[in-house]
């Protein structure tokens, strides 16, 4: 498991386009990692939505809270695209 890859995701999720200028802490979260996880790109829009795209194998929970939004790629490498609103809620 590449925990450091998802540490980068958490840090990037903290910084959306609006938050970069205000420097205010808004939210953070952690994605439960599977195997061979790779975040390829993270971006934010003007509304504060955060987008992450990458690949993974195994079981991953993309919900940042207590709920679960699991995707299971099994032994195959799969691509993911995740969207979180300005409060960190998966869309």
């Amino acid at each position: 498991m590449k925990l450091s890859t998802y540490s980068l995701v958490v840090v990037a999720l903290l910084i959306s386009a609006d938050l970069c200028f205000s420097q205010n802490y808004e939210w953070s979260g952690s994605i439960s990692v599977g195997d061979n996880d790779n975040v390829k790109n993270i971006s934010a829009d003007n509304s504060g939505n955060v987008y992450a795209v990458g690949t993974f194998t195994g079981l991953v929970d993309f919900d940042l809270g207590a709920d679960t939004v699991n995707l299971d790629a099994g032994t195959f490498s799969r691509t993911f695209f995740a969207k979180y609103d300005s409060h960190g809620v998966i869309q």
Side-chain angles (χ1 to χ4, degrees), residues 5 8-13 15 39-44 50-53:
T5 300
L8 174 64
V9 170
V10 172
V11 170
L13 291 175
I15 304 171
V39 176
K40 302 294 185 183
N41 197 359
I42 299 171
S43 186
V50 177
Y51 305 88
V53 64

Side-chain angles (χ1 to χ4, degrees), residues 1-2 6-9 16 26 28-30 33 37-39 42 45 50-51 58 61-63 69 75 81 87 89-90:
M1 290 188 233
K2 293 184 180 178
Y6 281 97
S7 297
L8 174 64
V9 170
S16 68
E26 294 290 327
S28 64
S30 160
V33 297
D37 308 294
N38 294 297
V39 176
I42 299 171
D45 63 21
V50 177
Y51 305 88
D61 177 12
F62 286 93
D63 186 83
V69 177
T75 59
F81 179 84
H87 301 287
V89 177
I90 193 160

Side-chain angles (χ1 to χ4, degrees), residues 38-91:
N38 294 297
V39 176
K40 302 294 185 183
N41 197 359
I42 299 171
S43 186
D45 63 21
N46 290 337
S47 298
N49 297 312
V50 177
Y51 305 88
V53 64
T55 60
F56 72 101
T57 59
L59 182 67
V60 177
D61 177 12
F62 286 93
D63 186 83
L64 301 179
D67 294 332
T68 57
V69 177
N70 288 333
L71 291 179
D72 189 355
T75 59
F76 299 100
S77 179
R78 301 288 186 204
T79 301
F80 72 86
F81 179 84
K83 176 185 175 186
Y84 300 90
D85 70 12
S86 61
H87 301 287
V89 177
I90 193 160
Q91 302 294 296

